[in-house]
Amino acid sequence: DWERFKREISSLAKLHHPSIVRLFGADREGKHAFFTMELVEGTPLTDFVDKKKLPPRKVVEITAQLAEALATAHELDIIHRGVELKNIVLTKEGVPKLLDFSLAKSIGEAPSAQVTKAGEMVGSLAYTPPEVLNDGQHSPAGDVYQLAVSMYQLLAQSKVPLTGPIKKGADGLEIAVSP
């Protein structure tokens, strides 16, 4: 929708890091809005689970580069909220690029400015940080959690670690973790 589009443009316009896709411009033609961004040629990290395997040293390099990219976003008060393998492409030069800032929000954003309503889930459940499940509050730590889940997938060559049923207890949510 238009509000998410404006948020993504606003977030991307501020960000300048080698591991974050670059925004070149945005415009609107009648009812249609569009933006131009860097063409990222490479392989989505999802392709490296089951099909191809990355050496552990390369996964560590990717993790460090993406952690720096997220730190850059967090310094500008931007939380990505969608860090997962499908939103990361490894370029032919071996540089990871973080894509899709459509779920991004500002740290400390006033509830009236939020597109997502209270109690509404954003992103993929398997990547959702436990604190978000408990109280719905997103923070930079949640992006780090999502990065860790993504890198776990690459190293373990498996699905995300939290695959069990989610049950609500009196003290919040309990998540069944796969062995």
Short mmCIF file of all heavy atoms in Angstrom, two decimals, residues 77-134:
data_model
loop_
_atom_site.label_atom_id
_atom_site.label_comp_id
_atom_site.label_asym_id
_atom_site.label_seq_id
_atom_site.Cartn_x
_atom_site.Cartn_y
_atom_site.Cartn_z
N ASP A 77 18.28 5.01 13.15
CA ASP A 77 16.99 4.70 13.78
C ASP A 77 16.04 3.91 12.89
O ASP A 77 14.82 4.06 12.97
CB ASP A 77 16.30 5.98 14.28
CG ASP A 77 17.02 6.61 15.45
OD1 ASP A 77 17.73 5.87 16.16
OD2 ASP A 77 16.89 7.83 15.65
N ILE A 78 16.59 3.05 12.04
CA ILE A 78 15.77 2.21 11.16
C ILE A 78 15.91 0.75 11.58
O ILE A 78 17.01 0.23 11.71
CB ILE A 78 16.20 2.38 9.69
CG1 ILE A 78 15.96 3.81 9.24
CG2 ILE A 78 15.44 1.40 8.79
CD1 ILE A 78 16.60 4.15 7.91
N ILE A 79 14.76 0.11 11.78
CA ILE A 79 14.72 -1.32 12.07
C ILE A 79 14.18 -2.00 10.81
O ILE A 79 13.14 -1.60 10.29
CB ILE A 79 13.78 -1.65 13.25
CG1 ILE A 79 14.15 -0.84 14.48
CG2 ILE A 79 13.82 -3.14 13.57
CD1 ILE A 79 13.13 -0.94 15.60
N HIS A 80 14.87 -2.99 10.29
CA HIS A 80 14.49 -3.66 9.04
C HIS A 80 13.23 -4.52 9.22
O HIS A 80 12.31 -4.45 8.43
CB HIS A 80 15.65 -4.52 8.52
CG HIS A 80 15.43 -5.07 7.17
ND1 HIS A 80 14.65 -6.19 6.94
CD2 HIS A 80 15.89 -4.68 5.95
CE1 HIS A 80 14.63 -6.45 5.65
NE2 HIS A 80 15.39 -5.55 5.03
N ARG A 81 13.20 -5.37 10.21
CA ARG A 81 12.09 -6.27 10.58
C ARG A 81 11.82 -7.38 9.57
O ARG A 81 10.84 -8.11 9.71
CB ARG A 81 10.78 -5.51 10.83
CG ARG A 81 10.88 -4.49 11.93
CD ARG A 81 9.56 -3.98 12.40
NE ARG A 81 8.69 -3.52 11.35
CZ ARG A 81 7.39 -3.27 11.50
NH1 ARG A 81 6.82 -3.47 12.67
NH2 ARG A 81 6.66 -2.84 10.51
N GLY A 82 12.66 -7.55 8.56
CA GLY A 82 12.45 -8.61 7.58
C GLY A 82 13.74 -9.27 7.15
O GLY A 82 13.89 -9.68 6.00
N VAL A 83 14.71 -9.36 8.07
CA VAL A 83 16.00 -9.96 7.74
C VAL A 83 15.80 -11.48 7.69
O VAL A 83 15.59 -12.13 8.70
CB VAL A 83 17.08 -9.61 8.78
CG1 VAL A 83 18.41 -10.25 8.39
CG2 VAL A 83 17.22 -8.10 8.93
N GLU A 84 15.82 -12.02 6.50
CA GLU A 84 15.74 -13.46 6.29
C GLU A 84 16.38 -13.78 4.96
O GLU A 84 16.64 -12.90 4.14
CB GLU A 84 14.30 -13.96 6.39
CG GLU A 84 13.30 -13.26 5.51
CD GLU A 84 11.88 -13.71 5.79
OE1 GLU A 84 11.49 -14.75 5.22
OE2 GLU A 84 11.16 -13.05 6.55
N LEU A 85 16.69 -15.05 4.74
CA LEU A 85 17.47 -15.45 3.57
C LEU A 85 16.88 -14.95 2.25
O LEU A 85 17.62 -14.56 1.35
CB LEU A 85 17.62 -16.97 3.53
CG LEU A 85 18.45 -17.59 4.65
CD1 LEU A 85 18.53 -19.10 4.46
CD2 LEU A 85 19.84 -16.98 4.72
N LYS A 86 15.56 -14.95 2.11
CA LYS A 86 14.96 -14.53 0.85
C LYS A 86 15.16 -13.04 0.57
O LYS A 86 15.00 -12.61 -0.57
CB LYS A 86 13.47 -14.88 0.81
CG LYS A 86 12.61 -14.05 1.72
CD LYS A 86 11.15 -14.45 1.61
CE LYS A 86 10.28 -13.53 2.44
NZ LYS A 86 8.88 -13.88 2.33
N ASN A 87 15.55 -12.26 1.58
CA ASN A 87 15.78 -10.83 1.41
C ASN A 87 17.25 -10.47 1.35
O ASN A 87 17.62 -9.31 1.54
CB ASN A 87 15.08 -10.05 2.52
CG ASN A 87 13.57 -10.11 2.40
OD1 ASN A 87 13.03 -10.25 1.31
ND2 ASN A 87 12.89 -10.00 3.52
N ILE A 88 18.09 -11.47 1.09
CA ILE A 88 19.54 -11.23 0.97
C ILE A 88 20.03 -11.92 -0.30
O ILE A 88 19.75 -13.09 -0.52
CB ILE A 88 20.30 -11.79 2.19
CG1 ILE A 88 19.76 -11.20 3.50
CG2 ILE A 88 21.80 -11.53 2.05
CD1 ILE A 88 20.23 -11.93 4.74
N VAL A 89 20.76 -11.18 -1.10
CA VAL A 89 21.35 -11.72 -2.33
C VAL A 89 22.87 -11.63 -2.21
O VAL A 89 23.41 -10.62 -1.74
CB VAL A 89 20.87 -10.93 -3.57
CG1 VAL A 89 21.65 -11.32 -4.81
CG2 VAL A 89 19.38 -11.14 -3.79
N LEU A 90 23.54 -12.69 -2.61
CA LEU A 90 25.00 -12.70 -2.65
C LEU A 90 25.41 -12.37 -4.08
O LEU A 90 25.10 -13.11 -5.02
CB LEU A 90 25.54 -14.07 -2.23
CG LEU A 90 27.04 -14.16 -2.01
CD1 LEU A 90 27.49 -13.24 -0.89
CD2 LEU A 90 27.43 -15.60 -1.70
N THR A 91 26.09 -11.22 -4.26
CA THR A 91 26.47 -10.79 -5.60
C THR A 91 27.56 -11.69 -6.18
O THR A 91 28.18 -12.48 -5.45
CB THR A 91 26.99 -9.34 -5.60
OG1 THR A 91 28.24 -9.29 -4.90
CG2 THR A 91 25.99 -8.37 -4.99
N LYS A 92 27.80 -11.55 -7.46
CA LYS A 92 28.85 -12.33 -8.13
C LYS A 92 30.21 -12.04 -7.52
O LYS A 92 31.11 -12.87 -7.57
CB LYS A 92 28.85 -12.03 -9.62
CG LYS A 92 27.59 -12.51 -10.31
CD LYS A 92 27.54 -12.06 -11.76
CE LYS A 92 26.23 -12.51 -12.38
NZ LYS A 92 26.05 -12.04 -13.74
N GLU A 93 30.36 -10.84 -6.94
CA GLU A 93 31.62 -10.46 -6.29
C GLU A 93 31.70 -10.97 -4.85
O GLU A 93 32.70 -10.74 -4.16
CB GLU A 93 31.77 -8.93 -6.28
CG GLU A 93 31.88 -8.29 -7.65
CD GLU A 93 30.53 -8.20 -8.38
OE1 GLU A 93 29.49 -8.07 -7.72
OE2 GLU A 93 30.53 -8.27 -9.62
N GLY A 94 30.64 -11.64 -4.37
CA GLY A 94 30.65 -12.20 -3.03
C GLY A 94 30.17 -11.26 -1.94
O GLY A 94 30.35 -11.52 -0.76
N VAL A 95 29.53 -10.14 -2.34
CA VAL A 95 29.03 -9.17 -1.36
C VAL A 95 27.56 -9.45 -1.08
O VAL A 95 26.75 -9.50 -2.01
CB VAL A 95 29.18 -7.71 -1.90
CG1 VAL A 95 28.61 -6.70 -0.92
CG2 VAL A 95 30.64 -7.41 -2.20
N PRO A 96 27.18 -9.62 0.19
CA PRO A 96 25.76 -9.80 0.49
C PRO A 96 25.04 -8.45 0.40
O PRO A 96 25.58 -7.42 0.80
CB PRO A 96 25.77 -10.31 1.93
CG PRO A 96 27.01 -9.75 2.52
CD PRO A 96 28.01 -9.67 1.40
N LYS A 97 23.83 -8.47 -0.15
CA LYS A 97 23.03 -7.25 -0.27
C LYS A 97 21.70 -7.47 0.42
O LYS A 97 20.95 -8.39 0.09
CB LYS A 97 22.76 -6.90 -1.74
CG LYS A 97 23.97 -6.42 -2.50
CD LYS A 97 24.25 -4.97 -2.19
CE LYS A 97 25.34 -4.45 -3.14
NZ LYS A 97 25.53 -3.02 -2.99
N LEU A 98 21.40 -6.63 1.39
CA LEU A 98 20.14 -6.68 2.11
C LEU A 98 19.09 -5.91 1.30
O LEU A 98 19.30 -4.75 0.95
CB LEU A 98 20.31 -6.07 3.50
CG LEU A 98 19.13 -6.11 4.46
CD1 LEU A 98 18.66 -7.55 4.69
CD2 LEU A 98 19.52 -5.46 5.78
N LEU A 99 17.98 -6.59 1.01
CA LEU A 99 16.92 -6.03 0.19
C LEU A 99 15.64 -5.84 1.02
O LEU A 99 15.61 -6.18 2.19
CB LEU A 99 16.60 -6.97 -0.98
CG LEU A 99 17.76 -7.57 -1.76
CD1 LEU A 99 17.24 -8.61 -2.73
CD2 LEU A 99 18.51 -6.49 -2.49
N ASP A 100 14.62 -5.35 0.39
CA ASP A 100 13.24 -5.29 0.89
C ASP A 100 13.10 -4.61 2.25
O ASP A 100 13.06 -5.25 3.29
CB ASP A 100 12.61 -6.69 0.93
CG ASP A 100 11.10 -6.61 1.15
OD1 ASP A 100 10.56 -5.49 1.30
OD2 ASP A 100 10.47 -7.67 1.18
N PHE A 101 12.98 -3.31 2.21
CA PHE A 101 12.77 -2.52 3.42
C PHE A 101 11.30 -2.16 3.61
O PHE A 101 10.96 -1.20 4.29
CB PHE A 101 13.64 -1.26 3.38
CG PHE A 101 15.06 -1.52 3.79
CD1 PHE A 101 15.93 -2.16 2.93
CD2 PHE A 101 15.53 -1.15 5.04
CE1 PHE A 101 17.24 -2.41 3.30
CE2 PHE A 101 16.83 -1.40 5.43
CZ PHE A 101 17.70 -2.03 4.55
N SER A 102 10.40 -2.95 3.02
CA SER A 102 8.98 -2.63 3.10
C SER A 102 8.41 -2.77 4.51
O SER A 102 7.39 -2.15 4.82
CB SER A 102 8.17 -3.49 2.13
OG SER A 102 8.28 -4.86 2.47
N LEU A 103 9.04 -3.55 5.38
CA LEU A 103 8.57 -3.69 6.75
C LEU A 103 9.33 -2.78 7.72
O LEU A 103 9.04 -2.77 8.92
CB LEU A 103 8.72 -5.14 7.22
CG LEU A 103 7.92 -6.19 6.46
CD1 LEU A 103 8.22 -7.58 7.01
CD2 LEU A 103 6.44 -5.89 6.52
N ALA A 104 10.27 -2.00 7.20
CA ALA A 104 11.11 -1.16 8.06
C ALA A 104 10.27 -0.15 8.82
O ALA A 104 9.21 0.28 8.36
CB ALA A 104 12.16 -0.44 7.22
N LYS A 105 10.77 0.20 10.00
CA LYS A 105 10.13 1.25 10.78
C LYS A 105 11.20 2.00 11.54
O LYS A 105 12.32 1.52 11.71
CB LYS A 105 9.07 0.69 11.72
CG LYS A 105 9.60 -0.07 12.91
CD LYS A 105 8.48 -0.48 13.85
CE LYS A 105 8.70 0.17 15.19
NZ LYS A 105 7.65 0.00 16.13
N SER A 106 10.85 3.17 11.99
CA SER A 106 11.77 3.97 12.77
C SER A 106 11.74 3.53 14.22
O SER A 106 10.67 3.21 14.75
CB SER A 106 11.40 5.45 12.69
OG SER A 106 11.56 5.91 11.37
N ILE A 107 12.89 3.55 14.86
CA ILE A 107 12.97 3.23 16.27
C ILE A 107 12.21 4.32 17.02
O ILE A 107 12.39 5.50 16.77
CB ILE A 107 14.43 3.17 16.75
CG1 ILE A 107 15.17 2.05 16.02
CG2 ILE A 107 14.52 2.99 18.26
CD1 ILE A 107 16.66 2.02 16.24
N GLY A 108 11.35 3.92 17.92
CA GLY A 108 10.59 4.89 18.70
C GLY A 108 9.47 5.57 17.93
O GLY A 108 8.95 6.58 18.36
N GLU A 109 9.11 4.99 16.79
CA GLU A 109 8.04 5.56 15.97
C GLU A 109 6.74 5.63 16.77
O GLU A 109 6.36 4.68 17.43
CB GLU A 109 7.85 4.68 14.73
CG GLU A 109 6.89 5.21 13.72
CD GLU A 109 6.92 4.34 12.47
OE1 GLU A 109 7.78 4.58 11.61
OE2 GLU A 109 6.10 3.41 12.39
N ALA A 110 6.06 6.76 16.68
CA ALA A 110 4.80 6.93 17.40
C ALA A 110 3.76 5.96 16.86
O ALA A 110 3.70 5.73 15.66
CB ALA A 110 4.31 8.37 17.23
N PRO A 111 2.94 5.36 17.74
CA PRO A 111 1.92 4.42 17.28
C PRO A 111 1.03 4.99 16.18
O PRO A 111 0.61 4.27 15.29
CB PRO A 111 1.12 4.12 18.55
CG PRO A 111 2.08 4.36 19.67
CD PRO A 111 2.96 5.50 19.19
N SER A 112 0.76 6.28 16.21
CA SER A 112 -0.11 6.88 15.18
C SER A 112 0.54 6.87 13.81
O SER A 112 -0.13 6.95 12.79
CB SER A 112 -0.46 8.32 15.57
OG SER A 112 0.72 9.09 15.66
N ALA A 113 1.88 6.76 13.76
CA ALA A 113 2.60 6.77 12.48
C ALA A 113 2.81 5.37 11.93
O ALA A 113 3.28 5.20 10.81
CB ALA A 113 3.96 7.45 12.66
N GLN A 114 2.50 4.34 12.72
CA GLN A 114 2.74 2.98 12.30
C GLN A 114 1.69 2.50 11.32
O GLN A 114 0.50 2.77 11.48
CB GLN A 114 2.77 2.04 13.52
CG GLN A 114 3.93 2.33 14.44
CD GLN A 114 3.91 1.45 15.67
OE1 GLN A 114 3.13 0.53 15.78
NE2 GLN A 114 4.81 1.74 16.60
N VAL A 115 2.14 1.78 10.29
CA VAL A 115 1.24 1.18 9.32
C VAL A 115 0.66 -0.11 9.87
O VAL A 115 -0.49 -0.44 9.67
CB VAL A 115 1.98 0.92 7.98
CG1 VAL A 115 1.08 0.18 7.01
CG2 VAL A 115 2.45 2.24 7.40
N THR A 116 1.50 -0.87 10.59
CA THR A 116 1.06 -2.12 11.19
C THR A 116 0.28 -1.83 12.45
O THR A 116 0.73 -1.07 13.31
CB THR A 116 2.29 -3.00 11.51
OG1 THR A 116 3.07 -3.13 10.34
CG2 THR A 116 1.86 -4.36 11.99
N LYS A 117 -0.88 -2.41 12.57
CA LYS A 117 -1.73 -2.19 13.74
C LYS A 117 -1.31 -3.08 14.90
O LYS A 117 -0.73 -4.13 14.70
CB LYS A 117 -3.19 -2.45 13.35
CG LYS A 117 -3.69 -1.46 12.33
CD LYS A 117 -5.01 -1.91 11.72
CE LYS A 117 -5.51 -0.95 10.67
NZ LYS A 117 -4.58 -0.57 9.67
N ALA A 118 -1.64 -2.67 16.11
CA ALA A 118 -1.32 -3.45 17.30
C ALA A 118 -1.89 -4.86 17.16
O ALA A 118 -3.02 -5.04 16.76
CB ALA A 118 -1.88 -2.76 18.53
N GLY A 119 -1.06 -5.84 17.50
CA GLY A 119 -1.49 -7.23 17.42
C GLY A 119 -1.35 -7.85 16.05
O GLY A 119 -1.53 -9.04 15.88
N GLU A 120 -1.01 -7.05 15.04
CA GLU A 120 -0.85 -7.56 13.67
C GLU A 120 0.57 -8.06 13.50
O GLU A 120 1.53 -7.41 13.90
CB GLU A 120 -1.15 -6.42 12.69
CG GLU A 120 -1.15 -6.83 11.25
CD GLU A 120 -1.53 -5.66 10.35
OE1 GLU A 120 -0.73 -4.72 10.23
OE2 GLU A 120 -2.62 -5.70 9.78
N MET A 121 0.73 -9.22 12.90
CA MET A 121 2.03 -9.84 12.71
C MET A 121 2.64 -9.38 11.39
O MET A 121 1.95 -9.33 10.38
CB MET A 121 1.85 -11.36 12.70
CG MET A 121 3.14 -12.09 12.64
SD MET A 121 4.00 -11.83 14.17
CE MET A 121 4.62 -13.42 14.45
N VAL A 122 3.93 -9.03 11.40
CA VAL A 122 4.63 -8.69 10.17
C VAL A 122 5.79 -9.66 10.00
O VAL A 122 6.35 -10.14 10.96
CB VAL A 122 5.16 -7.24 10.16
CG1 VAL A 122 4.03 -6.25 10.23
CG2 VAL A 122 6.16 -7.00 11.26
N GLY A 123 6.12 -9.96 8.75
CA GLY A 123 7.24 -10.83 8.49
C GLY A 123 6.88 -12.30 8.62
O GLY A 123 5.72 -12.67 8.75
N SER A 124 7.90 -13.13 8.59
CA SER A 124 7.72 -14.58 8.69
C SER A 124 7.81 -15.02 10.14
O SER A 124 8.75 -14.66 10.85
CB SER A 124 8.81 -15.29 7.88
OG SER A 124 8.76 -14.88 6.54
N LEU A 125 6.85 -15.80 10.57
CA LEU A 125 6.79 -16.24 11.96
C LEU A 125 8.08 -16.91 12.42
O LEU A 125 8.56 -16.67 13.52
CB LEU A 125 5.60 -17.18 12.16
CG LEU A 125 5.38 -17.69 13.58
CD1 LEU A 125 5.15 -16.53 14.54
CD2 LEU A 125 4.23 -18.66 13.62
N ALA A 126 8.65 -17.76 11.58
CA ALA A 126 9.85 -18.50 11.96
C ALA A 126 11.04 -17.58 12.25
O ALA A 126 11.97 -17.97 12.96
CB ALA A 126 10.23 -19.49 10.87
N TYR A 127 11.03 -16.36 11.72
CA TYR A 127 12.11 -15.40 11.95
C TYR A 127 11.76 -14.37 13.02
O TYR A 127 12.54 -13.48 13.29
CB TYR A 127 12.44 -14.65 10.65
CG TYR A 127 13.11 -15.49 9.60
CD1 TYR A 127 12.38 -16.25 8.70
CD2 TYR A 127 14.50 -15.52 9.50
CE1 TYR A 127 13.00 -17.01 7.72
CE2 TYR A 127 15.13 -16.27 8.53
CZ TYR A 127 14.37 -17.02 7.64
OH TYR A 127 15.00 -17.77 6.68
N THR A 128 10.57 -14.46 13.57
CA THR A 128 10.12 -13.45 14.51
C THR A 128 10.80 -13.61 15.86
O THR A 128 10.76 -14.69 16.46
CB THR A 128 8.59 -13.52 14.69
OG1 THR A 128 7.99 -13.35 13.41
CG2 THR A 128 8.09 -12.44 15.63
N PRO A 129 11.43 -12.54 16.36
CA PRO A 129 12.10 -12.62 17.65
C PRO A 129 11.10 -12.91 18.78
O PRO A 129 9.97 -12.42 18.74
CB PRO A 129 12.70 -11.22 17.83
CG PRO A 129 12.74 -10.64 16.45
CD PRO A 129 11.60 -11.24 15.72
N PRO A 130 11.51 -13.70 19.77
CA PRO A 130 10.60 -14.05 20.86
C PRO A 130 9.97 -12.84 21.56
O PRO A 130 8.80 -12.86 21.91
CB PRO A 130 11.48 -14.84 21.83
CG PRO A 130 12.55 -15.41 20.96
CD PRO A 130 12.80 -14.38 19.89
N GLU A 131 10.74 -11.76 21.75
CA GLU A 131 10.18 -10.59 22.44
C GLU A 131 9.05 -9.95 21.64
O GLU A 131 8.13 -9.36 22.20
CB GLU A 131 11.26 -9.56 22.79
CG GLU A 131 11.94 -8.91 21.60
CD GLU A 131 13.15 -9.66 21.06
OE1 GLU A 131 13.35 -10.84 21.38
OE2 GLU A 131 13.91 -9.05 20.29
N VAL A 132 9.12 -10.07 20.32
CA VAL A 132 8.04 -9.53 19.49
C VAL A 132 6.78 -10.38 19.66
O VAL A 132 5.67 -9.86 19.73
CB VAL A 132 8.46 -9.46 18.01
CG1 VAL A 132 7.30 -9.08 17.11
CG2 VAL A 132 9.60 -8.46 17.84
N LEU A 133 6.96 -11.69 19.77
CA LEU A 133 5.82 -12.56 20.01
C LEU A 133 5.19 -12.27 21.37
O LEU A 133 3.98 -12.35 21.54
CB LEU A 133 6.24 -14.03 19.93
CG LEU A 133 6.65 -14.53 18.56
CD1 LEU A 133 7.23 -15.93 18.66
CD2 LEU A 133 5.48 -14.49 17.59
N ASN A 134 6.03 -11.94 22.35
CA ASN A 134 5.53 -11.69 23.70
C ASN A 134 4.84 -10.34 23.85
O ASN A 134 3.76 -10.25 24.40
CB ASN A 134 6.66 -11.81 24.72
CG ASN A 134 7.02 -13.25 25.00
OD1 ASN A 134 6.17 -14.12 24.98
ND2 ASN A 134 8.30 -13.49 25.22
#
